[in-house]
Amino acid sequence: MERTFAARGDIYYTSSPSCSLSIEDGWLVVVDGKVEGAFRHLPERYSNLPVKDFSGKLVIPGLSDLHVHAGQYQFRGLWMDEELIQWLNTHTFPEEAKYRDEGYADRAYDIFVDDLLHSTTTRASIFATIHPAATLMLCRKLEKAGLPCLVGKVNMDRNSPDFLCEDTKESIDSTLEYIEEVESSFRLVRPVITPRFIPSCTDELSRALSSIANERGLPVQTHLSENLSELEWVKELCPESTSYADAYRRLGLWGGTRTVMAHCVYSLGHEEDMLEDANIWIAHCPDSNTNLSSGLMCARYYLDRGCRIGLGSDVAGGTTLSMLRAITDAVKVSKMYWRHVDQSMKPICFREAFHMASVISGSFFGRVGSFEEGCDADIVVLDDSSIPTTVEGLGVEERLERYAYLRPHAPVAHKAVQGRWLF
Ligand code: GUN
Ligand code: FE
């Protein structure tokens, strides 16, 4: 009975980009960790269930972060004055190299996991670093916290500094060992194949990782078309490819079981058709794209085409783990795209961005991100009672929008994953 209850509160979720459901003082029924439904009045057949009373609070599905670097969390909010490649070389690689030291990793990942636990995120697809021991430590902490994340040991065997570069064979062998260790040790946390991006991986390494992913049915995550200098570099490295996405396809790293391609800022006009593949998820990371001056992503195009476009924090290109911030940033970036680039691409609204962070990002992890029947009961409870205002009579969606803009970093009041309350 532990994962069976009726939760009372002000419920909000979406069923499509254009359709949200708000139930003020409603009931969310969960049986055995799965959502039975959200109701205006508690149906008689559920009247014996234990009640979780969140009256007056917002009850929303847990959000999913499709792209975050745990090994960059410690320098969040710092060093935002460079573009991608220089930022990687000057700040990111030296920081990631510190995770060779397990004492450092222990302290750093405690901070990351504690902040993630108290955020609106219930699932995340995470880049760790190249270090297997530190990455397993991160998995252990996430499992203990109750967060069912995908965690990747990063692979990089070229164009990387000596202190953060693997030998090709060592990279492949340690990835296999890592996968086996995660699959045998953890119930919630799963492995994801994580070639950093084309400039960091030899063809030999990329092809080996593709085989591992296909043979074991594992998901893949990497970066695509984020920055203009990166695009030029990939063109030089893969002269036979017609696009950056085509370079991944030739290496066997396209689609597979399922793949997250982070950014895709410069895919429109080159490779947008390939992003309609049913096994590709786009992680739109608006905060990072702004901080690193990467560019303006056209979320409207992909959303209207029915692509799986979710949201990512991309910490530490992004400053914060808050998916509420990713939602409002996605709305703002889409307005700049519409105003400055293409006035036929209407800005996305709050509801659409919320759908991206909940349902679309969530679909990478299974049936999560909504309160429709059969979804995993990932639930977040937000207390918006402390926002001082004279405005009255707001609807549930308006209160959530206001909370996203005003309290994106506030620790959430309660969180459940698969119907189990973490706090
Ligand atoms: N491309 C390759 N590595 C990275 C990274 O760590 N962050 C971002 N934003 N882009 C990358
Ligand atoms: Fe990234």
Side-chain angles (χ1 to χ4, degrees):
M1 284 295 274
E2 193 211 350
R3 299 188 302 138
T4 299
F5 52 84
R8 180 176 189 174
D10 300 327
I11 296 168
Y12 180 84
Y13 65 101
T14 60
S15 57
S16 73
S18 59
C19 182
S20 63
L21 294 103
S22 298
I23 312 177
E24 201 172 308
D25 197 20
W27 294 86
L28 175 67
V29 174
V30 173
V31 173
D32 215 9
K34 300 266 187 218
V35 174
E36 289 272 306
F39 306 96
R40 203 158 291 284
H41 303 286
L42 185 65
E44 181 59 33
R45 64 186 184 282
Y46 300 123
S47 58
N48 290 331
L49 297 189
V51 171
K52 303 283 289 182
D53 191 358
F54 304 124
S55 295
K57 297 191 174 67
L58 298 164
V59 178
I60 62 169
L63 304 180
S64 295
D65 188 342
L66 268 188
H67 183 68
V68 55
H69 297 260
Q72 298 173 13
Y73 191 57
Q74 305 310 309
F75 72 93
R76 66 199 179 282
L78 287 169
W79 309 323
M80 295 297 185
D81 299 321
E82 280 151 335
E83 289 191 46
L84 176 68
I85 306 299
Q86 203 184 351
W87 173 82
L88 287 173
N89 286 319
T90 314
H91 304 295
T92 309
F93 293 159
E95 172 65 19
E96 289 192 14
K98 295 180 189 168
Y99 288 74
R100 210 157 85 102
D101 172 353
E102 289 175 45
Y104 185 81
D106 190 27
R107 287 187 288 129
Y109 284 150
D110 269 348
I111 295 170
F112 172 80
V113 173
D114 193 53
D115 282 2
L116 191 66
L117 177 63
H118 293 96
S119 76
T120 51
T121 300
T122 43
R123 318 265 175 153
S125 193
I126 301 175
F127 278 57
T129 63
I130 62 169
H131 312 95
T135 307
L136 283 167
M137 187 184 288
L138 172 61
C139 294
R140 218 170 290 127
K141 291 181 194 298
L142 290 163
E143 181 83 18
K144 189 160 168 230
L147 297 169
C149 291
L150 291 164
V151 179
K153 186 211 92 66
V154 176
N155 299 92
M156 41 203 296
D157 72 339
R158 70 171 175 186
N159 296 318
S160 308
D162 288 348
F163 55 80
L164 196 70
C165 193
E166 302 169 290
D167 162 75
T168 305
K169 184 168 181 323
E170 169 207 327
S171 183
I172 297 164
D173 290 348
S174 67
T175 299
L176 284 167
E177 274 169 41
Y178 167 75
I179 292 164
E180 267 153 34
E181 187 71 28
V182 175
E183 290 189 332
S184 62
S185 308
F186 304 118
R187 191 177 61 84
L188 297 173
V189 174
R190 306 320 289 159
V192 48
I193 300 295
T194 307
R196 181 168 212 123
F197 66 160
I198 282 193
S200 301
C201 299
T202 59
D203 290 5
E204 184 188 351
L205 177 58
S206 294
R207 290 212 169 85
L209 294 173
S210 158
S211 302
I212 294 171
N214 291 333
E215 280 159 21
R216 294 166 186 252
L218 291 176
V220 175
Q221 58 180 354
T222 189
H223 295 91
L224 176 67
S225 298
E226 173 180 5
N227 164 287
L228 289 170
S229 308
E230 174 204 21
L231 253 68
E232 287 304 312
W233 197 5
V234 171
K235 246 187 229 163
E236 280 167 32
L237 292 167
C238 310
E240 72 291 356
S241 298
T242 55
S243 67
Y244 197 161
D246 181 55
Y248 279 125
R249 189 184 58 74
R250 285 165 189 257
L251 293 163
L253 286 169
W254 195 260
T257 307
R258 61 194 202 283
T259 299
V260 175
M261 288 289 166
H263 303 294
C264 309
V265 174
Y266 293 102
S267 296
L268 204 49
H270 310 282
E271 55 196 12
E272 70 277 18
D273 291 351
M274 286 182 69
L275 295 170
E276 290 181 29
D277 186 307
N279 294 328
I280 297 286
W281 273 253
I282 300 167
H284 173 32
C285 306
D287 189 23
S288 169
N289 294 162
T290 309
N291 289 328
L292 298 178
S293 308
S294 296
L296 292 169
M297 162 69 155
C298 185
R300 165 62 63 206
Y301 176 86
Y302 297 103
L303 197 61
D304 286 359
R305 291 289 282 248
C307 296
R308 288 148 201 78
I309 175 170
L311 295 180
S313 66
D314 193 29
V315 160
T319 45
T320 163
L321 292 176
S322 171
M323 291 309 292
L324 295 176
R325 257 296 295 278
I327 288 169
T328 56
D329 286 345
V331 170
K332 292 182 204 187
V333 164
S334 75
K335 290 175 178 172
M336 291 298 105
Y337 192 93
W338 169 72
R339 173 66 63 197
H340 291 290
V341 183
D342 182 349
Q343 281 162 29
S344 73
M345 293 291 165
K346 268 194 349 216
I348 59 170
C349 66
F350 176 80
R351 177 187 304 148
E352 290 172 311
F354 186 87
H355 184 76
M356 288 161 68
S358 53
V359 174
I360 302 181
S361 288
S363 63
F364 193 68
F365 301 86
R367 271 210 78 191
V368 300
S370 182
F371 290 152
E372 291 182 330
E373 187 183 355
C375 288
D376 279 5
D378 289 11
I379 307 165
V380 165
V381 180
L382 307 173
D383 183 354
D384 66 336
S385 64
S386 68
I387 296 174
T389 177
T390 53
V391 171
E392 291 174 2
L394 294 180
V396 177
E397 186 171 74
E398 290 168 314
R399 282 169 53 203
L400 179 60
E401 180 177 13
R402 179 179 63 173
Y403 188 93
Y405 278 99
L406 297 183
R407 296 279 190 271
H409 309 292
V412 304
H414 305 277
K415 185 188 268 192
V417 170
Q418 297 167 344
R420 189 165 81 85
W421 290 95
L422 306 185
F423 55 89

